[in-house]
Amino acid sequence: MIIYQSIDILQSMKKLRFVGSSLDDLKDFPAEARREAGFELDAVQRGEMPSDFKPMLEVGSGAYEIRVHILGEWRVIYVAKMADAVYVLHAFQKKTQKTRQEDIELAARRYKQIGG
């Protein structure tokens, strides 16, 4: 006898919550970079790690930066440690070797807003 077990993928995915202007900023990415960022965020929602990321300890515990290398350098800073959702704190184009202090500080302020 074969028994099938059904898993509702949508129930196991965390919601995405965008803090401040992060959704509008993500929408300003070129279409290809935005699509790649979306694939990476989808993986995070399912409990996986993005394919190219780094911890952002300067922002807060559990904050990470997704790195997208399409038509320039694009970054999405998020935190997924909260039980209810993945919070997108900041999305921006990176134009220098080092992440600008202003971008780190903005993400850190938003991190504190969500109770981080």
Side-chain angles (χ1 to χ4, degrees), residues 32-116:
E32 296 88 350
R34 187 174 59 245
R35 189 172 13 266
E36 180 63 26
F39 287 133
E40 298 294 349
L41 286 169
D42 179 74
V44 172
Q45 285 180 273
R46 290 183 278 114
E48 300 171 12
M49 294 305 285
S51 62
D52 190 356
F53 71 96
K54 75 172 194 172
M56 293 297 289
L57 300 177
E58 309 96 327
V59 171
S61 173
Y64 292 91
E65 175 184 78
I66 294 172
R67 301 187 289 193
V68 176
H69 314 282
I70 297 173
L71 300 173
E73 294 297 319
W74 306 89
R75 301 295 186 262
V76 178
I77 299 177
Y78 73 93
V79 62
K81 72 177 188 173
M82 312 303 196
D84 63 325
V86 173
Y87 288 88
V88 177
L89 304 174
H90 190 27
F92 59 98
Q93 182 176 17
K94 187 172 178 189
K95 297 180 180 179
T96 60
Q97 185 78 18
K98 188 174 178 185
T99 302
R100 294 179 331 142
Q101 190 61 34
E102 295 87 359
D103 291 313
I104 293 170
E105 289 171 1
L106 176 60
R109 280 195 307 274
R110 291 177 176 173
Y111 181 85
K112 288 177 183 161
Q113 286 177 357
I114 64 167

